[in-house]
Amino acid sequence: MKKIVAILTAIGLLASTGSMITPVLAEEAAPVKGGTVNIPITGDPTTLQGWMLRNSNENVLATAIYETLLRYDENGIPQPYLCESFEGDPEALTYTIKLKEGITFQDGTPFDADAVVWNLDYYKENGCLSGSYFGEYEKSEAIDESTVVVHLSSWNALFNYGLARSCYMCSPTAVEELGADGFNEAPIGTGAFKVTKWEHGEGIYTEKYADYWQGEPNLDGVNFMIYSAVATQQAALEKGDLDIINLSGDAVTAEALEAEGYTLTNAAIPATAYTFCFNTQADTPLADVRVRQAICYAIDADKIVSALLRDGKFGTASNQWAIEGTSMYNDEVQGYGYDVETAKKLLEEANYDSDFVLKINYQVGDFMGQLAQICASQLEAIGIKVELNAIEVANYVNYFGEWEGILFHQMGLQNGQFSQISANMITGINFGSKTFSHRQDTLDLIAEANASGEETLTKDLKEVVRILFDETVDLYTVAITYTTAVTGPSLHSDYGVVQANRATWHEMWKDAE
Amino acid sequence: MGEIRKKKSTGSAARFFRVFFSRGIITKICFGILILFVLIAVFAPLICKLIGFGPYEQDLFNMLKKPSSEHLLGTDDIGRDTLARLVYGARVSLLTGILSSVWAAIVGILIGLAAGYFGGLLNTVVMRITDAFIAIPPIIFTMVLSSMVKGNLLGLSLVIGVSIMPSYIRMVNGLVGSLKENDYVVAAKLVRENDFIIMLKHLLPNCMASMIVTFTMNVGTAIMLESTLSYLGVGIAAPTPAWGVMVSEGYKYLVNQPLVAILPGVCIMLVVISFNICGDSLRDAMDPRLRGKL
């Protein structure tokens, strides 16, 4: 009997101990306040001014500091973010923006209708993508404290894409007090983290904005530290100096870290389309569409994706700037499957001049370098001599207007195919101004799409995609990559989503050290 | 008489090699390494045929493989055989190194010779320009100029040649400055021998020993410069199998597959050290007066 009592007592003790563990575990699962997260960037941003943020390093940190009126959902469609509603009236050529209440800038000034009007006007004059998205913007007016009406000169159905992409809301008070240069060093947005120090050549330090409108951030700060090479980023992550690294097209490093227990998270929206942009206008064999088609047929994109991107794990093949199954994907695009014989036949038909050397220009980068060399080798298999021209990042922009041969461009896809087509494949902008064919029907369709409602816009832009990729062959997508975030087990958040401009910075937390 | 001359030349050759190898086993090893790399460079196509892979042959499903019986030194990030690329890399490096030094030697020696012999304003102008050239770090100088030649081997060797040319000008100028005071030069002038003949027949041969030593040393310097430029992306352009390019491409796999970057790095190190040590030994053997001075 004593034994039975003793056993029952022991079981009771164990049970009570167990019930004590459960709440402890539950507490551990709850977000921990405090701590700092370090994220790498490959070099100093060119700017921290909200209206100028554009390149890859700037995109890593932009949404921690700044926010946009609209932001992309998981399908790349802009949805209200800092505003309650965003409604267009094509007849009146206006958009009405109803702002959320209770939002303040990091300097304590209110984020109200006046601030939005100031930001939109300022972006029109100074914004890096003003030419692409604000061409029809005339003015905006504050109707009341939380309502803004935007007036357009002609209807632009894609204005929302521009607002979601890079029109970050900056504190007007801070810009006016500090001037543009001063603001560059001490930027003020509505984001969860406020810049405390920009140590040029070292990194950017931030602290949490306690009055953040979605609640006080869990972390004390997020620092963006300069680690230029992936190898050093990997070493720093393993050592604990970094909490996250972002990879694109680097399956080797990602898989090595995955094997060590790190978590890989792909961004909800694909990151980059590695695209051949053909110079169709110069007096070279590329002016003949059959030569461009032959080049497309010669590239074994499936093999490249299979080998380098592990069959869809880190990227995918596509015949356009969207992924199959997504809303912007056009099923009617045929594309050019790998077919060496057809490629050779087309070159023959076009009386291809074998003395011609095809120049492929690309911005230096690890994955891009690999791709360029593979493509060059595949093109040489059909008798095309290739000269590779690796361009430094700072010099790359000089190639946007005109290039020789092919510009192997990394087209950002975070704002969707439609936005990129309508912003880049038009006349009157620098990109491809002297190289793309700019066929009249594509220009008309883009113009009609911009001036129409959602249904016509989708139909028209899908048709433009078909023409550009299938008929005129201005563009050919070799591969599409995802941004893969590698995080350690102590970090808790969906960081992959953050990279797709869908910031949840304030929810991020890490285990107490 | 002929036998005596033959004996004399055999004796001087033996003395040359005795002094050349007098620095011990290191010189012998370095000399052996250089011979080996020259042979590798010359017979690169044959070696690649033997190993069964070319330097440009890609196998995308065998990327970054570790050394195996199939790929003796593994593969790189697009499945190319590392050994095949190293073998062809020897060609690129040695060719660039030797070509650069040849350009530099030809032009540098002529300029130094003329400036030293004629002296006066010409000498002052040439030497001040040379001083200005020397003041510019060679890597900066070549980086700027190499952007104009766009990864072309011949163009790059010219650019590197220009950057190492001042060493020849200075050396020859100094030597000619003292040699031209010798009696045989004065005598040649007195019999109104042509200046051009005096420079080429009497002065140049007397500078040869030092020039050969400088040449050997400069080959190593040129290889180092080419590799650095290629590593930085402004030298030999991919996909050409240059060692600097290979280090640059393999660097990102330093943690996961270090051999891809380390092997070409080791090759660069071996060749450059070997050229420098052989250069030192050559100096000892050719001009004992300069032993330990250069």
Side-chain angles (χ1 to χ4, degrees):
Chain A
M1 184 65 190
K2 275 183 184 173
K3 275 185 183 174
I4 293 169
V5 172
I7 289 166
L8 287 173
T9 313
I11 289 169
L13 277 170
L14 278 172
S16 65
T17 317
S19 64
M20 278 166 71
I21 287 170
T22 313
V24 171
L25 286 173
E27 267 177 33
E28 276 179 2
V32 172
K33 291 277 182 189
T36 305
V37 162
N38 293 324
I39 301 173
I41 48 178
T42 57
D44 259 325
T46 36
T47 176
L48 285 185
Q49 294 161 338
W51 54 92
M52 288 299 287
L53 300 177
R54 188 178 184 181
N55 74 27
S56 52
N57 281 322
E58 290 150 18
N59 284 337
V60 171
L61 54 88
T63 53
I65 305 161
Y66 297 109
E67 291 171 312
T68 45
L69 286 167
L70 309 167
R71 72 172 186 179
Y72 300 109
D73 64 13
E74 61 276 13
N75 296 314
I77 310 291
Q79 303 292 350
Y81 185 55
L82 287 179
C83 58
E84 292 285 358
S85 63
F86 180 84
E87 283 168 10
D89 183 347
E91 298 291 314
L93 301 178
T94 58
Y95 279 105
T96 302
I97 307 167
K98 187 86 182 150
L99 302 177
K100 281 180 180 161
E101 286 180 7
I103 301 175
T104 54
F105 287 105
Q106 293 153 355
D107 58 1
T109 55
F111 173 73
D112 55 14
D114 286 334
V116 172
V117 169
W118 184 94
N119 269 282
L120 296 180
D121 287 345
Y122 201 83
Y123 194 88
K124 166 76 178 174
E125 290 303 315
N126 307 289
C128 59
L129 292 173
S130 174
S132 295
Y133 293 106
F134 272 58
E136 292 82 13
Y137 176 89
E138 244 180 11
K139 61 170 184 172
S140 52
E141 56 180 326
I143 301 300
D144 57 44
E145 216 170 71
S146 61
T147 311
V148 175
V149 173
V150 177
H151 295 270
L152 304 176
S153 57
S154 59
W155 186 241
N156 181 354
L158 288 165
F159 184 63
N160 52 347
Y161 283 85
L163 290 183
R165 186 169 174 187
S166 65
C167 187
Y168 294 104
M169 294 293 116
C170 307
S171 163
T173 315
V175 176
E176 278 164 7
E177 275 178 8
L178 300 169
D181 290 342
F183 186 80
N184 191 40
E185 297 294 318
I188 300 287
T190 60
F193 291 93
K194 179 184 175 183
V195 172
T196 52
K197 189 172 59 169
W198 179 1
E199 201 69 60
H200 293 264
E202 180 183 305
I204 289 150
Y205 298 83
T206 73
E207 64 180 13
K208 69 178 174 187
Y209 176 42
D211 293 330
Y212 180 61
W213 62 281
Q214 295 193 80
E216 187 183 346
N218 292 318
L219 293 169
D220 288 336
V222 178
N223 301 327
F224 300 92
M225 309 307 295
I226 296 175
Y227 286 85
S228 58
V230 173
T232 46
Q233 288 182 10
Q234 182 183 350
L237 182 74
E238 288 170 337
K239 195 175 162 235
D241 290 346
L242 289 174
D243 297 284
I244 296 167
I245 65 171
N246 298 306
L247 300 169
S248 185
D250 189 351
V252 176
T253 308
E255 285 176 346
L257 287 166
E258 191 179 27
E260 289 176 32
Y262 289 90
T263 307
L264 308 185
T265 316
N266 279 342
I269 303 169
T272 311
Y274 290 81
T275 310
F276 279 176
C277 300
F278 292 97
N279 182 343
T280 63
Q281 301 302 297
D283 186 20
T284 68
L286 282 186
D288 189 326
V289 73
R290 289 170 298 187
V291 174
R292 305 201 292 274
Q293 287 171 331
I295 288 170
C296 302
Y297 275 124
I299 301 297
D300 191 350
D302 288 332
K303 187 179 178 185
I304 291 171
V305 166
S306 177
L308 267 62
L309 301 171
R310 306 292 191 262
D311 270 330
K313 190 175 176 186
F314 301 105
T316 183
S318 180
N319 52 25
Q320 52 198 283
W321 285 342
I323 288 176
E324 202 172 349
T326 56
S327 61
M328 294 184 200
Y329 186 84
N330 183 358
D331 295 315
E332 287 172 20
V333 176
Q334 299 290 311
Y336 294 90
Y338 178 58
D339 188 343
V340 172
E341 289 314 310
T342 309
K344 285 180 178 170
K345 206 172 139 202
L346 282 164
L347 285 183
E348 235 177 82
E349 281 173 20
N351 292 322
Y352 172 74
D353 174 11
S354 59
D355 288 337
F356 169 69
V357 177
L358 175 67
K359 197 168 186 179
I360 299 183
N361 310 280
Y362 61 96
Q363 182 180 298
V364 288
D366 293 337
F367 184 62
M368 186 50 114
Q370 267 178 294
L371 272 190
Q373 289 192 57
I374 293 168
C375 290
S377 161
Q378 293 183 348
L379 289 173
E380 275 163 16
I382 61 160
I384 294 180
K385 291 174 203 156
V386 177
E387 182 191 326
L388 296 177
N389 180 29
I391 306 160
E392 284 305 315
V393 179
N395 191 26
Y396 188 63
V397 73
N398 296 324
Y399 283 74
F400 274 14
E402 190 175 13
W403 55 82
E404 198 185 323
I406 291 173
L407 185 74
F408 201 175
H409 185 63
Q410 300 177 43
M411 182 53 77
L413 293 185
Q414 285 162 353
N415 51 323
Q417 169 162 250
F418 290 170
S419 167
Q420 291 293 30
I421 289 288
S422 61
N424 291 303
M425 304 311 290
I426 52 175
T427 51
I429 60 157
N430 186 32
F431 187 60
S433 58
K434 292 177 184 161
T435 55
F436 288 137
S437 52
H438 293 129
R439 215 168 77 177
Q440 195 53 48
D441 54 350
T442 61
L443 298 176
D444 292 343
L445 283 165
I446 291 172
E448 187 182 78
N450 282 343
S452 66
E454 190 65 35
E455 201 179 316
T456 314
L457 181 141
T458 303
K459 185 173 74 65
D460 284 356
L461 291 182
K462 279 190 174 179
E463 178 59 7
V464 175
V465 168
R466 192 192 63 74
I467 295 169
L468 291 172
F469 283 90
D470 272 358
E471 279 185 26
T472 61
V473 200
D474 281 283
L475 306 166
Y476 171 76
T477 305
V478 176
I480 288 180
T481 57
Y482 307 122
T483 299
T484 305
V486 184
T487 51
S490 64
L491 197 75
H492 305 271
S493 77
D494 189 354
Y495 184 75
V497 173
V498 171
Q499 283 307 289
N501 286 358
R502 301 182 65 234
T504 52
W505 293 95
H506 64 291
E507 289 176 1
M508 189 187 286
W509 62 280
K510 67 190 280 193
D511 296 334
E513 286 169 6
Chain B
M1 185 71 180
E3 210 169 285
I4 294 169
R5 191 173 292 167
K6 198 178 169 188
K7 259 188 184 173
K8 206 174 174 185
S9 72
T10 314
S12 65
R15 193 171 61 245
F16 172 86
F17 281 109
R18 200 180 58 243
V19 181
F20 181 77
F21 290 118
S22 66
R23 286 188 173 224
I25 189 77
I26 296 289
T27 309
K28 287 171 189 154
I29 291 172
C30 289
F31 187 69
I33 287 170
L34 284 186
I35 297 292
L36 181 70
F37 273 106
V38 169
L39 289 175
I40 286 173
V42 171
F43 296 108
L46 194 69
I47 296 169
C48 284
K49 210 172 175 184
L50 281 174
I51 58 177
F53 298 100
Y56 298 99
E57 233 170 274
Q58 299 174 3
D59 181 357
L60 297 188
F61 293 106
N62 270 311
M63 298 185 313
L64 294 169
K65 290 287 171 202
K66 291 201 163 74
S68 65
S69 55
E70 194 187 359
H71 296 282
L72 293 176
L73 297 178
T75 58
D76 71 1
D77 62 343
I78 46 178
R80 293 173 297 200
D81 187 79
T82 306
L83 178 58
R85 289 182 69 73
L86 282 176
V87 164
Y88 267 86
R91 252 184 185 200
V92 173
S93 290
L94 290 175
L95 205 60
T96 318
I98 292 168
L99 274 180
S100 313
S101 301
V102 167
W103 308 141
I106 292 172
V107 181
I109 288 168
L110 288 179
I111 294 174
L113 201 59
Y117 179 73
F118 292 112
L121 184 64
L122 176 69
N123 189 43
T124 308
V125 170
V126 166
M127 291 320 292
R128 292 302 76 77
I129 293 173
T130 306
D131 288 343
F133 262 93
I134 288 170
I136 306 169
I139 188 67
I140 306 285
F141 183 79
T142 47
M143 269 179 79
V144 172
L145 286 187
S146 61
S147 60
M148 292 192 287
V149 296
K150 298 268 176 194
N152 174 295
L153 194 145
L154 200 66
L156 189 69
S157 67
L158 274 172
V159 166
I160 296 172
V162 172
S163 79
I164 55 178
M165 198 195 300
S167 60
Y168 289 99
I169 299 177
R170 273 192 92 99
M171 186 201 65
V172 176
N173 187 274
L175 285 173
V176 170
S178 61
L179 286 173
K180 73 176 181 183
E181 306 300 333
N182 286 345
D183 291 347
Y184 61 90
V185 179
V186 177
K189 279 182 181 172
L190 285 173
V191 296
R192 295 186 183 277
E193 199 155 10
N194 185 295
D195 287 334
F196 195 65
I197 301 289
I198 294 174
M199 282 194 283
L200 293 187
K201 200 174 162 190
H202 301 297
L203 295 175
L204 188 60
N206 283 299
C207 301
M208 263 314 180
S210 304
M211 279 178 333
I212 290 171
V213 174
T214 310
F215 181 88
T216 314
M217 300 267 201
N218 275 343
V219 173
T221 309
I223 290 173
M224 194 69 194
L225 266 174
E226 176 271 312
S227 302
T228 311
L229 292 172
S230 301
Y231 173 78
L232 293 172
V234 289
I236 302 291
T240 308
W243 290 338
V245 173
M246 290 175 74
V247 175
S248 171
E249 287 177 347
Y251 170 66
K252 65 175 169 164
Y253 304 110
L254 209 52
V255 181
N256 304 312
Q257 180 54 282
L259 275 184
V260 183
I262 289 174
L263 287 173
V266 168
C267 288
I268 296 168
M269 184 187 75
L270 285 177
V271 169
V272 173
I273 289 177
S274 298
F275 266 112
N276 285 339
I277 289 179
C278 287
D280 280 344
S281 300
L282 203 58
R283 179 196 60 212
D284 294 350
M286 294 190 77
D287 194 347
R289 288 168 302 169
L290 294 172
R291 204 170 291 173
K293 284 184 183 171
L294 282 179

